[in-house]
Amino acid sequence: MKDPENQNEEEQIAIIAYRIYESEGYPEGRSDEHWARAARIAHAQRTGAAIDKEGDSPADALTPPSSMVP
């Protein structure tokens, strides 16, 4: 059985990775890149750390793509 804290962390990363995937127009073959980016964002959200890469802000990850905003 998974540690509930780790499961929650993995779920958070999965949600962020999917949002990145959506925001980039559903490209194929980039899931590893999206997961790594999402992991950096999730870590920054948990620790309050800054993110090095441009466009990888925690706020960006939680904002729905403009196509989903009414």
Side-chain angles (χ1 to χ4, degrees):
M1 180 180 247
K2 285 187 174 183
D3 174 21
E5 187 173 315
N6 287 339
Q7 184 176 10
N8 188 31
E9 179 180 338
E10 285 183 21
E11 288 173 2
Q12 179 185 23
I13 292 169
I15 290 166
I16 295 168
Y18 188 78
R19 289 183 178 159
I20 293 168
Y21 170 68
E22 284 180 314
S23 73
E24 291 185 359
Y26 307 98
E28 292 187 30
R30 297 184 58 199
S31 60
D32 290 342
E33 177 187 335
H34 293 157
W35 188 270
R37 223 170 119 195
R40 288 192 303 271
I41 293 167
H43 176 74
Q45 288 175 331
R46 284 190 313 279
T47 64
I51 299 176
D52 296 336
K53 290 196 156 227
E54 185 178 324
D56 279 358
S57 76
D60 291 343
L62 298 177
T63 303
S66 58
S67 63
M68 297 184 75
V69 177

